[in-house]
Amino acid sequence: MAPVTAAGEAMHALVERLYPLCRSITGDGVRATLEIVGEYVPLQVHEVPTGTQVLDWTVPQEWNIRDAYIADTAGNRVVDFAASSLHVLGYSVPVSRTMPLAELRGHLHTLPEHPAWVPYRTSYYKPEWGFCLAQETLDALPDGAYEVRIDSSLTDGHLTYAEHVVPGQVPEEVIVSCHVCHPSLANDNLAGIAVATFLARALAETTPYYTYRFVYAPGTIGAITWLARNAERIELVKHGLVLACAGDSGQLTYKQSRRGDAEIDRVLRHVLAASERPHRVTEFTPYGYDERQYCSPGFDLGVGSLSRTPYADYPEYHTSADNPDFVSPEAMADTLAVCREAFAVLDRNRRYVNLNPYGEPQLGRRGLYDSLGGRSDAKQAQLAMLWVLSLSDGEHGLLDVAERSGLPFDTVAVAADALHGAGLIKA
C-alpha cells in the first residue's frame, strides 16, 4: 500500500469534515456536502425539480430533517439524531407521538449480530418512519411510554447533483462518478468523494488528452438523472470509472464494465497487474453502484468500478462502524495513486501508423539510438521502439504493444513519443 502522503492526510481530513452531515438522495445535506467539495474544486451545481421525468423514473420530493429523538418519561433522549444522522430511517415522514415501547418496536431497526453498532436504513419511495439504534440500547429500554418525534419535511423541491470538468486536448470524455447520498458512512462513500476530488485536482495540474468530467450525484436516481439530461451528448463519453468504498484496508477490487472488454477494463487490469499490488478483478453484475446505470444496454458505456473491499463484503458496511477510523490516509492515497496511473495509461494509449512500414527504418541515422546513450534500460527502450514500429498499423494501441511485448507501458509510450518526434509514426 502507498505510504501516507500529504494528499492522503488531506483526503482523510475531508472525510472527517463531511462525516457529520446528514445526506440523502435529495435535500440540504447534499447541498452542504457539495458546498464543501466546492472549496477544493469548482463545481457546477444542478437542481432538478420534483416531478421531472428522468428515463423511467421521476425525481421525488425533497427530504429535509431538523431534529429527531426518542425520549423517556423523564425527557431523556435515549435515541438522538443530533448524536448521529444514522439514527433516523432515511426519508422518514414527520411524526410526533407518545407510544408504548411495544408499539414503537415495529419502527426500530437494529443489528443483533453487532449489538453495539447502529445500522443504516432508508425508505425512499415508501412513506414510512423509523429509528436505527444499537441492539444494546434497545435491550436496555424499560417498558413504558416514549415520546417519539421526527421533525422532517417531504415537499416539492429539487434533486441536486454537481459536475467538475477538467478540460482536455479533445472533447471526448472520461467520466468519474461517485455517489453523495449516504449520511455518516466514511468508506461508503465519503472516501470515494475524497479520492475523486483529489484526483480532479491532480489532473488539473496536467494537460490531459481526454476531458475529464467528475459527477457527484445521489446513487441510482442521481446517475439516472444525469444520463437523462445528457443523453444527446452521451457519444462524447468514451470511458468511465465509478469510485466507491475507496478507503478501507482491503485489497483493490476492479469490477469490469458490462462489455468486459472496454478500454477502461483493459487499462485497469494492466495497471493493477503491473503494479504488483494485491488486487481482484471481477466480472460485471447488474447490482452494486452506478456503473449499472452507465452500463445499461441502451447506453452501454465503458464504465467500470474501482473500490477496495466491495460493498456488503465487510461487516462495517452500512453501519455506524463505517466511521472515519475505519478508513485511512494510506488506503485513500493508494486508491488515488492507482487512478492516476490508470488515467495516465488511458490518456497515452494512442493508435499510430508507421510512416515507413517497408522494412525496418534506420533509427541510428535519425539519432534515436544516440538518445538512449547512458540509459540503464537502453536495450529495453530500443526494443520498445521496434515493437511500436511493428504494431503501428492503425489497429493496435500502445497498450496492445505493452501487453504483447511484456514491456512497461511507460517505456512503450516514451518510445512512441520519440518515434513520433522523428516523423516515423503518426497518430
Side-chain angles (χ1 to χ4, degrees):
M1 187 175 294
V4 178
T5 64
E9 296 287 2
M11 286 187 286
H12 196 269
L14 176 56
V15 168
E16 290 182 313
R17 189 177 175 192
L18 294 173
Y19 184 76
L21 299 177
C22 182
R23 283 164 291 274
S24 189
I25 56 173
T26 61
D28 291 335
V30 174
R31 296 187 185 96
T33 297
L34 296 176
E35 184 176 348
I36 291 172
V37 172
E39 296 175 15
Y40 293 77
V41 292
L43 295 178
Q44 182 180 8
V45 178
H46 304 270
E47 298 277 5
V48 184
T50 296
T52 302
Q53 189 72 26
V54 286
L55 306 181
D56 195 46
W57 294 60
T58 303
V59 173
Q61 288 191 308
E62 182 176 323
W63 183 70
N64 286 293
I65 183 166
R66 290 158 288 279
D67 193 16
Y69 60 85
I70 300 172
D72 61 21
T73 54
N76 300 308
R77 294 191 176 194
V78 296
V79 179
D80 191 354
F81 169 76
S84 171
S85 60
L86 294 178
H87 275 311
V88 173
L89 178 77
Y91 255 62
S92 280
V93 299
V95 62
S96 182
R97 294 176 54 190
T98 298
M99 64 182 67
L101 180 59
E103 181 182 354
L104 178 57
R105 282 181 182 274
H107 295 274
L108 301 181
H109 305 270
T110 65
L111 289 168
E113 65 274 23
H114 295 288
W117 296 356
V118 177
Y120 164 56
R121 299 288 185 269
T122 63
S123 184
Y124 294 140
Y125 302 105
K126 178 182 177 182
E128 185 58 271
W129 64 267
F131 287 86
C132 300
L133 65 160
Q135 181 66 46
E136 61 187 23
T137 300
L138 177 57
D139 291 343
L141 294 181
D143 287 333
Y146 289 87
E147 180 189 0
V148 179
R149 179 166 174 76
I150 297 178
D151 182 11
S152 64
S153 61
L154 272 167
T155 58
D156 287 351
H158 297 83
L159 178 146
T160 310
Y161 72 92
E163 297 174 288
H164 170 76
V165 176
V166 179
Q169 300 170 39
V170 296
E172 285 77 17
E173 292 184 356
V174 180
I175 57 170
V176 180
S177 180
C178 57
H179 61 277
V180 298
C181 51
H182 287 13
S184 297
L185 299 173
N187 200 39
D188 182 24
N189 187 38
L190 297 180
I193 294 171
V195 170
T197 300
F198 278 76
L199 176 60
R201 286 161 63 104
L203 286 170
E205 296 174 356
T206 68
T207 306
Y209 177 73
Y210 288 109
T211 294
Y212 285 82
R213 183 177 299 273
F214 289 77
V215 180
Y216 299 84
T220 305
I221 185 65
I224 285 171
T225 299
W226 186 88
L227 285 165
R229 290 165 60 90
N230 289 273
E232 293 183 357
R233 54 179 301 281
I234 208 69
E235 69 276 358
L236 288 174
V237 178
K238 301 304 179 184
H239 319 282
L241 190 65
V242 171
L243 287 172
C245 302
D248 68 87
S249 61
Q251 66 181 359
L252 283 157
T253 300
Y254 177 68
K255 175 183 172 182
Q256 298 185 113
S257 72
R258 190 180 76 98
R259 299 179 192 173
D261 62 351
E263 190 170 343
I264 192 71
D265 301 327
R266 296 185 59 213
V267 166
L268 262 296
R269 291 196 301 261
H270 176 82
V271 166
L272 288 169
S275 73
E276 299 185 345
R277 290 175 172 89
H279 70 277
R280 289 193 302 162
V281 175
T282 64
E283 297 294 329
F284 175 82
T285 62
Y287 189 77
Y289 292 112
D290 286 325
E291 67 279 356
R292 68 190 196 273
Q293 311 306 334
Y294 300 117
C295 292
S296 57
F299 295 106
D300 195 25
L301 298 177
V303 177
S305 176
L306 183 66
S307 61
R308 302 198 72 87
T309 307
Y311 64 91
D313 278 5
Y314 55 96
E316 297 84 356
Y317 177 75
H318 280 192
T319 77
S320 58
D322 184 0
N323 57 49
D325 291 336
F326 181 66
V327 299
S328 71
E330 297 95 333
M332 285 186 282
D334 190 52
T335 307
L336 175 62
V338 168
C339 290
R340 295 186 67 175
E341 292 166 23
F343 288 157
V345 172
L346 190 67
D347 251 20
R348 300 170 76 185
N349 187 29
R350 300 285 178 284
R351 293 182 179 182
Y352 290 92
V353 173
N354 189 333
L355 298 178
N356 194 345
Y358 299 102
E360 181 180 306
Q362 190 175 8
L363 301 181
R365 177 165 59 84
R366 294 172 172 85
L368 292 172
Y369 285 154
D370 293 340
S371 68
L372 303 178
R375 286 182 54 168
S376 61
D377 63 342
K379 287 188 175 180
Q380 190 180 64
Q382 178 182 335
L383 184 58
M385 289 187 190
L386 297 177
W387 269 109
V388 171
L389 287 168
S390 179
L391 292 180
S392 289
D393 53 9
E395 296 183 3
H396 294 86
L398 296 186
L399 184 56
D400 294 306
V401 177
E403 290 178 340
R404 187 163 174 182
S405 68
L407 296 169
F409 180 88
D410 188 63
T411 300
V412 170
V414 170
D417 289 342
L419 292 168
H420 186 267
L424 287 172
I425 60 173
K426 71 174 182 178

